[in-house]
Structures are given as C-alpha cells and as structure tokens.
C-alpha cells in the first residue's frame, strides 16, 4: 500500500504568497463608470454629475469648489461640453499662475503703450473666449482691482482693455473654481462679497477622494491603462497588497496624487503585475487640506479681531469719523461694521467713560432732578 504524504504549508511562505497574489485588471472600464473623462460611480460623484447635467444647458455662472487635485477643471470641461456653447472655445486660466500686476492684461487685454513693454495691442482671454466658456481656476487669488473688473463683466457683460477707454461687450460663460474658503477671505477683506455672490449662482462642491473610496479601484484601472499605453508596457494585474494599500490610504493630494503614484509605479514596473512601494505614500496621519484651511482661517479671523478691538480701544469705541476705528484701519465704515458683526465684537465696551467720578458706575453718576407738580422745573 502506497504511503500518503501530507503537505504542511509554512505559515511564512503562505503569507508571502498571499502578499504577492495578484488581482486581474478589467479589460475595459465600464462605460457607466466614466462620464466626460470623470471616472467613478460612487453616490458622492453621481451627485456632482447630476448637478453638471442640470446646469450645463443654461448660461448660469458656476463656482466649483473642492480640495486641490479633485478634478475641478474636468467638471468645468464637462459643463462646457454639455452646453449650447460646446462648439465654441473653452479657455482655461489659472489665476494663481499669473503675476498679480499682469492678470488684468491677461484677462482683458491691453492697448499699445498702456504700460512698459506693451508694444502692441493684445487681446485678452475674455475676447478669445467670445461665444464660448472661460474657466477661472484659483479665482480666490485675484487682486482686488481685477475682482472689480470681473464683477463688471458678470453684471454688465462688458470690460475695458488695460489702458483703453472703450467698453467692449462680451458674451462668455464664466465657470470659476477655488480650493480656498472664500467666506473666510471675505471676512479677511481679501475677496469681495458682491463678487462671491455673482460667482456663486450655482455652486458645485467636489468631494475629496477619501469620501469616495469605492471609486478607487476603477480609477486605478483607468490610470494603469492610460499609463501603460503611453510607456508601451503590458500590465495585466495588480498585487493584492498594493490594491489594499491604495484603497486604505487617505490621499491628501486626491486624484492627482493617485495618478502620479500610478505613473511612477508603471515606470518602475518590470513584470505584468502592478505593485506600489508603500514608502512613496505619506506615513504621517493626514490632516486634510480643508482642515488646514479651516485652521488658517480661524487664525486669520483671530488676528483680525485683535486688530479691530485695538483700533476700537484707541478710538474709545468710535467707528467712524477722523479719529474713528475705520480711519485707523484704513477701511470704510460699512466694511468695519460688517466685520464687527461677523466677528461678534461688542464695540460698546470700548466706549469712553471719561468724566465719571472715580469708583462710581455710570448709573450712579447720573443726577436725577425730581419734577415738580404742573411740570415746573
């Protein structure tokens, strides 16, 4: 009788085998998981796409908000492609990438000789986008003077070139985007509230990747497919431990960070199985950019409150007038009153009590003369 052999697996070998177990990549991304180059089918993303489909056929101004790397420009392009202006040009401007003293010229153009170096007339982005859509990324970085010019475009549909005197009519749809907290910027006096309300006609907030984790596998497959075509490699699967790592990571840089990690991995990959070096991912607990911005906004508001209270203290509670707090701070009375309300400052506690007898309250210092009969003094 032949003896039977029993194989007892080495636990360490089994763990190592499971570690490198691969998961097959789909041959083709499900069309239902991709819309206008926006990949995913999570509930959070479907809500965004629903808003896109509703606002696209209109000419309403859209404000797209979300953390950096979430795909705000993709959403703007999706709106344009579904609009009546889809056959016309889509012009994208990164307001943070242009020097502050040149942004007005970039957006609205300039006349010859309007400033040093202006050797000829130049058309701005709004004129180039005529009849189409202009996307103003990082709109929160615009300087105040340019904000006023943009407000005029939104209100009156006209502008003037830098150095020009003639009003130019414009027919352009505006889509703006920012990763900043514009409400905090308004409180800090760096962004106009009237411009915010003109831009915020139809707000769309894009969720960070950590709030739509169910989209990560299809995003991974999408980026692997794109990167392998670009570099000429053939990747058929992904190591399971790498997939688990990518799904559990919090992605502070959102989709842009995921794309960069995958592209780097494809370049380094020497087999048909995709894998990720875990040392490439941040090891510290991730505080989201939204939280960082919130902390910064709170600090900014605290400093602003201290400045206003100091000015009120010096002016003995007076808000306006030559020696009032508004004059000391160099802002208008209405702006200061608005900030006092928003920061919940009690301006009455800074009012002067000069002339009161020492150690007596205001009420005790008031003398009351009793009235005589028939109203005589």
């Amino acid at each position: 009788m032949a003896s039977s052999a029993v194989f007892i697996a080495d636990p360490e070998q089994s763990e190592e085998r499971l570690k490198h177990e691969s998961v097959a990549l789909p041959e083709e991304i499900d069309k239902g998981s991709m819309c206008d180059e926006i990949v995913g089918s999570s509930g959070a993303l479907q809500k965004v796409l629903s808003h896109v489909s509703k606002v696209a056929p209109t000419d309403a101004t859209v404000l797209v908000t979300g953390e950096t790397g979430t795909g705000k420009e993709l959403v703007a392009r999706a709106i344009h492609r579904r609009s009546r202006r889809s056959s016309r040009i889509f012009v994208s401007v990164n307001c943070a990438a242009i020097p502050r003293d040149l942004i007005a010229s970039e957006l609205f153009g300039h006349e010859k000789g309007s400033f040093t170096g202006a050797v000829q007339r130049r058309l701005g982005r709004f004129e180039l986008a005529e009849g189409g859509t202009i996307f103003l990324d990082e709109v929160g970085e615009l300087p105040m003077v340019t904000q006023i010019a943009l407000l005029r475009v939104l209100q009156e549909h006209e502008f003037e070139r830098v150095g020009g005197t003639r009003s130019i009519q414009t027919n352009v749809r505006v889509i703006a985007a920012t990763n900043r907290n514009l409400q905090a910027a308004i409180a800090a006096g760096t962004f106009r509230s009237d411009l915010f309300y003109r831009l915020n006609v139809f707000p769309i907030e894009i969720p960070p990747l950590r709030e739509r984790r169910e989209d990560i596998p299809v995003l991974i497959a999408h980026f692997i497919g794109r990167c392998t075509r670009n570099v000429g490699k053939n990747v058929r699967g992904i190591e399971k431990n790498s997939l688990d790592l990518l799904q559990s990571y919090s992605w502070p840089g959102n989709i842009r960070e995921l794309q960069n990690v995958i592209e780097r991995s494809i370049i380094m990959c020497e087999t048909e199985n995709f894998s990720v070096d875990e040392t490439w991912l941040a090891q510290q607990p991730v505080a989201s950019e939204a939280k960082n911005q919130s902390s910064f906004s709170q600090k900014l508001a605290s400093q602003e409150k201290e400045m206003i209270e100091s000015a009120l203290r010096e002016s003995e509670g007076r808000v306006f007038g030559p020696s009032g707090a508004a004059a000391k701070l160099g802002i208008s009375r209405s702006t200061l009153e608005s900030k006092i309300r928003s920061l919940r400052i009690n301006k009455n506690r800074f009012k002067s009590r000069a002339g009161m007898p020492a150690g007596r309250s205001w009420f005790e210092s008031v003398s009351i003369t009793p009235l005589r009969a028939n109203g005589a003094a």
Side-chain angles (χ1 to χ4, degrees):
M1 178 174 155
S3 61
S4 59
V6 178
F7 175 74
I8 301 176
D10 184 342
E12 291 185 2
Q13 291 180 352
S14 298
E15 184 179 346
E16 186 68 18
R17 188 169 63 254
L18 286 172
K19 179 179 177 181
H20 294 290
E21 180 184 348
S22 65
V23 178
L25 291 171
E27 293 293 329
E28 185 178 355
I29 301 296
D30 179 11
K31 298 302 181 184
S33 299
M34 190 167 180
C35 175
D36 290 306
E37 298 184 13
I38 301 172
V39 179
S41 56
S42 64
L45 185 62
Q46 290 305 310
K47 181 178 179 182
V48 170
L49 295 176
S50 173
H51 288 165
V52 167
S53 63
K54 285 181 170 64
V55 75
T58 75
D59 270 341
T61 303
V62 179
L63 180 61
V64 185
T65 58
E67 296 177 17
T68 183
T70 49
K72 294 185 285 293
E73 184 167 347
L74 284 180
V75 168
R77 289 183 181 275
I79 293 172
H80 174 71
R81 277 193 291 267
R82 298 183 181 196
S83 72
R84 295 189 296 266
R85 300 172 181 264
S86 58
S87 61
R88 307 301 294 270
I89 191 170
F90 176 93
V91 175
S92 178
V93 184
N94 187 330
C95 301
I98 302 170
R100 295 173 69 86
D101 55 345
L102 294 179
I103 186 66
S105 170
E106 189 69 26
L107 291 177
F108 308 115
H110 63 252
E111 297 290 349
K112 180 180 179 180
S114 56
F115 55 86
T116 303
V119 295
Q120 61 183 8
R121 172 186 286 177
R122 182 177 185 276
L123 301 184
R125 300 293 184 93
F126 270 91
E127 286 181 87
L128 295 176
E130 181 65 21
T133 303
I134 189 166
F135 173 58
L136 302 178
D137 198 8
E138 305 300 347
V139 71
E141 304 299 326
L142 288 177
M144 275 291 183
V145 174
T146 312
Q147 290 180 34
I148 295 171
L150 177 58
L151 181 63
R152 181 184 176 190
V153 170
L154 295 172
Q155 289 179 330
E156 311 296 336
H157 304 288
E158 64 181 25
F159 62 89
E160 292 177 4
R161 297 192 190 103
V162 175
T165 57
R166 182 174 64 89
S167 293
I168 300 172
Q169 296 293 315
T170 182
N171 173 26
V172 175
R173 182 183 195 168
V174 176
I175 303 176
T178 183
N179 62 3
R180 290 183 59 190
N181 184 337
L182 292 185
Q183 294 283 14
I186 292 170
T190 59
F191 200 83
R192 295 180 62 95
S193 59
D194 47 4
L195 176 58
F196 170 76
Y197 293 120
R198 283 287 180 177
L199 291 172
N200 201 42
V201 174
F202 195 94
I204 297 179
E205 183 176 1
I206 307 180
L209 187 54
R210 62 183 173 275
E211 292 181 8
R212 39 178 291 221
R213 291 185 184 277
E214 57 267 51
D215 290 334
I216 291 178
V218 70
L219 281 165
I220 292 170
H222 171 68
F223 288 134
I224 287 178
R226 177 192 291 181
C227 292
T228 51
R229 286 192 298 272
N230 291 340
V231 301
K233 290 189 176 182
N234 185 23
V235 175
R236 296 182 179 277
I238 176 172
E239 289 186 1
K240 188 175 185 304
N241 70 312
S242 290
L243 180 60
D244 293 340
L245 177 66
L246 294 176
Q247 286 188 285
S248 61
Y249 182 57
S250 52
W251 299 109
N254 292 293
I255 296 173
R256 185 181 297 127
E257 184 184 9
L258 173 64
Q259 181 178 358
N260 292 345
V261 167
I262 289 174
E263 184 174 355
R264 181 179 178 184
S265 300
I266 291 294
I267 293 171
M268 297 293 291
C269 186
E270 296 179 351
T271 69
E272 290 188 345
N273 282 337
F274 174 88
S275 62
V276 173
D277 187 337
E278 62 181 340
T279 62
W280 296 349
L281 306 181
Q283 298 300 306
Q284 72 274 15
V286 177
S288 69
E289 185 166 338
K291 291 182 180 178
N292 288 337
Q293 288 181 345
S294 176
S295 175
F296 175 75
S297 300
Q298 290 173 0
K299 184 177 180 181
L300 202 62
S302 177
Q303 291 175 346
E304 188 176 33
K305 186 174 183 179
E306 288 178 9
M307 291 174 60
I308 293 174
E309 288 182 341
S310 177
L312 286 169
R313 193 175 293 109
E314 290 179 19
S315 63
E316 298 181 336
R318 288 190 297 275
V319 172
F320 59 97
S323 60
K328 291 181 182 296
L329 293 168
I331 59 178
S332 68
R333 173 187 177 181
S334 59
T335 299
L336 180 55
E337 291 280 15
S338 175
K339 290 181 181 295
I340 288 172
R341 287 193 299 272
S342 65
L343 295 170
R344 297 180 180 179
I345 297 173
N346 180 9
K347 61 185 178 183
N348 293 323
R349 67 188 179 93
F350 299 103
K351 290 185 177 179
S352 172
R353 297 191 178 189
M356 296 183 192
R360 298 179 64 190
S361 68
W362 175 85
F363 181 79
E364 292 173 329
S365 68
V366 176
S367 59
I368 302 177
T369 303
L371 295 178
R372 296 180 183 177
N374 300 324

